[in-house]
Amino acid sequence: MRRAVVIGVAAIAALAVGFGLGQFWLVRDGASVSLNPKELVSITTSLSPTAHSFGDSVMARADVLIDPREIALGSVALQPNFGPYEALDPPRVIREQFGDLGRVQYTYELVCLKEGCDTAEARGVSDFPSGRVRYRFNERPGSAFESFDWPLLEVSSRVATKDVEEIRWRSDATSLTPASYRVNPTGAAFVFLVAALGCAIAAMLIARRLWWPTRADDADLADESDLRSPLERAFEVALASAGGDDLPERRRALERVARELAGTGRRDLAGEARALAWAPAPSTSAQVESLAERVGVATAAGGLA
């Protein structure tokens, strides 16, 4: 009988200790252990440390207590605004439920290293904008919000304004040494300009040679005292080049004959002249003379002149 009593007392003591540990877990970090009967949400915020030097990290913690009978524990979401501070990592979130009390804790590690974080004086105060807690009810559709504020955060400068003003800098941005160049920029620009003009002139000469290869030949043949027709002069050049070794010149001369024949309406003879001009085998003097005789017969008949 005595053993049963001892075991019962020990069990009750263990339950009491467990309940006490649970309550201690809820009240740590400044969290409230109970809700006002008329409240469904209670929000407690804290900063650690409450004063820091520029560049140091700050731990921001928010504890949200809810009534899980009315509010879904998994729907509780914190929407903070730490500007100009930034969170180093995603928040650490803890969700717990103890009977009729639910608890959600958000923990952020903040740091501020950009413009707007330093203080104008030796000591300043940062006031974070208000945040919101969003949640959903168990029995009602839609979401609800609760606003909350953060404690003030004191920020101290690592360097006083007087210390910066008394620094003797080794260089002055207003008296920098002029830039130096291995090559004079003006001279290099002039050389490149002359080279570009030379390339442009060379390109124009090459294009003129490719697109108007017979213009010089036409100028040589254009003699005002020569009463021969253009076709006769073209045949003279073709007969003269037929006996030479300059194959490109021979082809150009026959191509000119073909153009003159086409201009007079004899496209059949023009086709024969062009075939002789660009045949794989070089044309012979006999072939050119044969074509000239045929053109002369046609001319005598009145077909060309």
Side-chain angles (χ1 to χ4, degrees), residues 47 60-61 78 80-87 108 110 112 128-129 150:
L47 298 174
R61 181 170 297 133
L78 197 73
N81 185 357
F82 297 113
Y85 284 68
E86 296 178 349
Y108 297 86
L110 308 178
C112 192
F128 293 146
W150 295 97

Side-chain angles (χ1 to χ4, degrees), residues 190-231:
F190 179 76
V191 171
F192 286 129
L193 178 60
V194 172
L197 291 176
C199 293
I201 293 173
M204 293 175 61
L205 293 177
I206 294 174
R208 183 179 180 277
R209 181 63 177 172
L210 291 176
W211 290 103
W212 298 283
T214 61
R215 180 166 295 180
D217 299 336
D218 294 341
D220 294 339
L221 294 176
D223 187 356
E224 294 182 358
S225 61
D226 192 354
L227 301 178
R228 293 174 300 169
S229 66
L231 179 59

Side-chain angles (χ1 to χ4, degrees), residues 6-301:
V6 172
I7 294 175
V9 171
I12 294 173
L15 291 175
V17 171
F19 180 78
L21 290 176
Q23 296 301 312
F24 174 76
W25 178 267
L26 288 177
V27 301
R28 64 185 182 132
D29 301 326
S32 177
V33 298
S34 62
L35 285 172
N36 188 305
K38 296 183 180 180
E39 292 181 347
L40 296 179
V41 178
S42 175
I43 306 170
T44 305
T45 58
S46 62
L47 298 174
S48 178
T50 57
H52 76 104
S53 299
F54 174 75
D56 291 341
S57 61
V58 177
M59 302 301 295
R61 181 170 297 133
D63 288 277
V64 183
L65 299 181
I66 65 170
D67 184 352
R69 295 170 299 180
E70 299 289 338
I71 297 174
L73 183 65
S75 68
V76 177
L78 197 73
Q79 298 176 340
N81 185 357
F82 297 113
Y85 284 68
E86 296 178 349
L88 293 178
D89 297 301
R92 182 168 59 89
V93 183
I94 298 176
R95 300 179 189 270
E96 300 171 314
Q97 181 172 346
F98 299 92
D100 296 339
L101 185 65
R103 176 173 178 266
V104 181
Q105 184 186 81
Y106 280 81
T107 305
Y108 297 86
E109 183 176 3
L110 308 178
V111 70
C112 192
L113 300 175
K114 59 184 181 180
E115 184 178 358
C117 302
D118 53 335
T119 56
E121 303 297 335
R123 198 168 188 82
V125 177
S126 292
D127 187 6
F128 293 146
S130 299
R132 295 195 307 179
V133 173
R134 179 175 56 84
Y135 55 88
R136 294 195 310 270
F137 294 100
N138 291 325
E139 303 295 336
R140 286 177 286 173
S143 300
F145 299 90
E146 291 287 341
S147 299
F148 65 90
D149 295 316
W150 295 97
L152 295 179
L153 178 63
E154 294 185 2
V155 184
S156 60
S157 176
R158 295 182 182 272
V159 181
T161 304
K162 182 180 179 181
D163 297 334
V164 177
E165 294 175 350
E166 294 178 352
I167 294 177
R168 298 181 60 185
W169 302 101
R170 295 187 179 182
S171 62
D172 185 2
T174 60
S175 60
L176 296 177
T177 304
S180 59
Y181 303 91
R182 181 175 298 178
V183 179
N184 190 327
T186 304
F190 179 76
V191 171
F192 286 129
L193 178 60
V194 172
L197 291 176
C199 293
I201 293 173
M204 293 175 61
L205 293 177
I206 294 174
R208 183 179 180 277
R209 181 63 177 172
L210 291 176
W211 290 103
W212 298 283
T214 61
R215 180 166 295 180
D217 299 336
D218 294 341
D220 294 339
L221 294 176
D223 187 356
E224 294 182 358
S225 61
D226 192 354
L227 301 178
R228 293 174 300 169
S229 66
L231 179 59
E232 291 174 343
R233 291 196 297 269
F235 262 113
E236 182 179 353
V237 175
L239 289 171
S241 62
D245 297 331
D246 191 350
L247 180 59
E249 179 67 22
R250 189 183 309 177
R251 294 185 186 279
R252 286 196 296 269
L254 286 171
E255 177 63 28
R256 181 185 173 191
V257 170
R259 290 202 305 269
E260 295 296 340
L261 287 172
T264 58
R266 296 303 301 271
R267 298 188 179 277
D268 52 345
L269 294 176
E272 294 183 17
R274 187 166 286 111
L276 286 176
W278 304 107
S283 60
T284 62
S285 299
Q287 291 174 325
V288 177
E289 291 176 357
S290 174
L291 179 62
E293 290 177 359
R294 295 177 58 194
V295 171
V297 171
T299 303

